[in-house]
Amino acid sequence: MIQSPTQQASPQTDLKLPKRGLPVTIITGFLGSGKTTLLNHILQDCQDLKVAVLVNEFGDIDIDSQLLVSVEEDMVQLSNGCICCTINDDLVEAVYSILERNEKVDHLVIETTGVADPLPIALTFAMPPLRNLTQLDSIVTLVDAEAFSPQHFESEAALNQVSYADIIVLNKTDLAAPQQVDTLEAWVREQKWGPEILRSQNSNIPLPLILDTNLFQPERYTAEAKAMAETTHDHHAPHCHDHHHHSNHLVNDGFVSMAFESDQPFDLDKFQDWLADDLSENVFRAKGFLWFGTITPRYIFQLSGKRYTLDADKWPGIPKTQLVLIGRELDAPKLQHQLRDCLTS
């Protein structure tokens, strides 16, 4: 049963999934909205369910996959790009690899990039060959209640994430004033009729509210599916599916990513001064693992706008700084130079 709109999530966690094609949930949301945190909650709370995860990164370093609580045999990863831009063998073959596992999988969860348009991904599951093997359960969109501003982002992808959502989670409500959250919810309702709207903190949502909802209605997207089918070429082989559907939203939005890696540690004071004084306003999102010379833990760095966190963790191996920055019109050489200046002498 789905909770009534706008209520806070209850602690119920029991799930009984029906026998059908492999259920698929798409988790989307703009940069820094809390998608990976929600995915971790699912992996931690899924109890006896066998959940497979497909993670899509926008950038050259796979940060999100390293943040998952379980990243061993259950995760198939598509990296270095945006799977909604060119739906091709990567996505279809990744799903096949999950379906062909000897061990039964109960649910597939896909985490898109923060700049993804979810509709082409959804339509891939609503059309052959995946239509007969899977059942798209819902599109879940997370919205950062404190930072989200459609006027600021001016993003086609961000609007589409709301427009095509079956469930919209207003996340990080603890960081925003109640009136701000109410205003955001009113705006969401103007953009999208009839979605389930939930409010959460730290992406903490009981699983029955987002899994086994059966909310996706493919008949709403008949025209879009027809247009996508016209650009699809089936080679009539069991594993040869060439799905070419091009989306211009990355070009329209102008988003780019930049990666920085170093085997040399950062100077903590220099790095904090860079964040406070020199970080370009064109950087909307940054995430990664930071190594500071005089501090031994690995620091998980998350930045959304000007808000950032540094959470201490253990290094799984040799310390190494890995950082991804996402934004518009990024001056990559300048950012690389600034970051190198933050390294210890």
Side-chain angles (χ1 to χ4, degrees):
M1 179 178 294
I2 295 297
Q3 182 181 11
S4 59
T6 74
Q7 289 183 339
Q8 292 286 355
S10 67
Q12 180 184 2
T13 57
D14 294 337
L15 280 174
K16 294 181 179 179
L17 296 181
K19 295 185 181 299
R20 59 190 183 192
L22 177 65
V24 178
T25 297
I26 297 173
I27 296 176
T28 189
F30 200 65
L31 301 165
S33 57
K35 298 182 294 298
T36 303
T37 303
L38 175 60
L39 194 52
N40 267 328
H41 285 313
I42 292 173
L43 292 173
Q44 291 170 327
D45 299 338
C46 61
Q47 300 175 351
D48 295 331
L49 286 179
K50 191 68 172 178
V51 177
V53 172
L54 192 157
V55 176
N56 180 219
E57 296 266 21
F58 182 65
D60 296 328
I61 305 175
D62 305 323
I63 300 298
D64 288 349
S65 64
Q66 298 182 64
L67 292 172
L68 293 179
V69 294
S70 176
V71 296
E72 297 176 356
E73 57 183 348
D74 292 334
M75 188 175 70
V76 179
Q77 182 178 321
L78 298 181
S79 62
N80 198 14
C82 182
I83 57 176
C84 68
C85 296
T86 303
I87 298 297
N88 53 29
D89 287 347
D90 288 342
L91 176 60
V92 176
E93 291 301 324
V95 176
Y96 268 119
S97 70
I98 292 170
L99 293 171
E100 292 173 346
R101 289 168 56 92
N102 292 327
E103 189 173 6
K104 180 179 179 291
V105 174
D106 298 306
H107 208 98
L108 170 62
V109 179
I110 297 177
E111 179 194 352
T112 77
T113 75
V115 294
D117 180 344
L119 184 61
I121 306 172
L123 292 180
T124 300
F125 287 94
M127 297 169 56
L130 296 184
R131 180 179 63 191
N132 301 324
L133 302 171
T134 64
Q135 179 167 333
L136 183 56
D137 188 61
S138 66
I139 301 174
V140 180
T141 296
L142 279 82
V143 177
D144 186 330
E146 192 272 336
F148 188 88
S149 169
Q151 294 78 19
H152 174 66
F153 293 129
E154 297 177 348
S155 168
E156 176 184 329
L159 294 176
N160 287 348
Q161 289 164 3
V162 172
S163 298
Y164 295 124
D166 302 302
I167 301 169
I168 296 175
V169 179
L170 304 183
N171 192 33
K172 305 185 184 182
T173 55
D174 53 320
L175 302 179
Q179 184 178 358
Q180 182 180 356
V181 180
D182 292 341
T183 300
L184 177 59
E185 180 175 332
W187 177 83
V188 167
R189 293 193 182 279
E190 290 177 356
Q191 309 303 312
K192 170 76 174 180
W193 180 85
E196 299 291 337
I197 299 181
L198 307 172
R199 297 187 180 188
S200 70
Q201 300 176 8
N202 196 35
S203 303
N204 197 354
I205 297 291
L207 300 197
L209 302 183
I210 56 174
L211 300 185
D212 190 27
T213 64
N214 201 27
L215 288 174
F216 182 76
Q217 300 180 31
E219 62 273 10
R220 292 182 178 179
Y221 307 109
T222 303
E224 291 89 342
K226 182 179 179 181
M228 183 171 174
E230 291 174 352
T231 61
T232 299
H233 306 284
D234 191 340
H235 293 177
H236 305 290
H239 283 232
C240 188
H241 305 281
D242 188 14
H243 294 254
H244 292 292
H245 177 79
H246 297 280
S247 171
N248 293 323
H249 76 272
L250 282 179
V251 175
N252 296 339
D253 287 350
F255 291 118
V256 295
S257 67
M258 190 210 80
F260 178 84
E261 294 186 271
S262 178
D263 295 326
Q264 189 176 348
F266 277 135
D267 180 284
L268 178 59
D269 292 334
K270 290 180 180 179
F271 184 77
Q272 289 182 322
D273 288 343
W274 173 72
L275 287 176
D277 301 328
D278 297 322
L279 179 62
S280 169
E281 293 183 355
N282 290 338
V283 176
F284 289 172
R285 178 82 167 104
K287 54 187 176 181
F289 307 102
L290 307 184
W291 176 30
F292 297 108
T294 58
I295 304 174
T296 54
R298 177 177 79 162
Y299 277 88
I300 301 172
F301 176 66
Q302 300 276 5
L303 178 141
S304 295
K306 291 295 183 181
R307 185 185 69 212
Y308 72 90
T309 58
L310 282 170
D311 297 317
D313 191 16
K314 292 182 179 179
W315 287 102
I318 299 174
K320 180 180 181 179
T321 288
Q322 295 180 299
L323 186 61
V324 171
L325 290 77
I326 302 172
R328 281 196 182 101
E329 300 177 355
L330 298 185
D331 186 340
K334 181 178 180 180
L335 288 168
Q336 292 279 357
H337 177 75
Q338 290 175 333
L339 290 168
R340 286 194 297 270
D341 282 348
C342 294
L343 298 174
T344 57
S345 301

